Amino acid sequence: MPLVRKIETGLWEVRVQLNNRIAHILFTAHEEIMVLLHGFIKKSQKTPANDLKVAKQRMANLGGQHE
């Protein structure tokens, strides 16, 4: 079953079990739709800074942060 957590204002993470790995998707809501910003396989507890940076840059391209 997917698990969702809030990273910061307007940025969320959903994680899904895939066989022996866990996939993570960073997403936001924009104009009433869910926008998938970045996906990766996480190997540690903390979200990697580079993956977070990619998602934040893509979110900024949408026109700012959204709840």
Side-chain angles (χ1 to χ4, degrees):
M1 173 175 265
L3 183 68
V4 177
R5 75 179 181 105
K6 186 175 188 175
I7 301 290
E8 61 184 49
T9 301
L11 184 60
W12 299 80
E13 175 186 60
V14 63
R15 73 180 187 224
V16 181
Q17 182 74 38
L18 300 173
N19 295 325
N20 297 337
R21 300 183 284 180
I22 298 176
H24 296 259
I25 306 294
L26 298 175
F27 70 94
T28 192
H30 181 72
E31 298 178 1
E32 299 185 19
I33 60 171
M34 182 180 185
V35 179
L36 307 180
L37 300 167
H38 185 60
F40 57 97
I41 302 296
K42 189 161 88 170
K43 297 177 171 100
S44 66
Q45 288 281 42
K46 190 172 181 181
T47 301
N50 286 342
D51 292 306
L52 195 53
K53 181 179 177 182
V54 168
K56 286 181 179 183
Q57 287 173 339
R58 291 176 178 169
M59 188 167 69
N61 288 339
L62 292 173
Q65 297 181 350
H66 302 275
E67 214 36 73

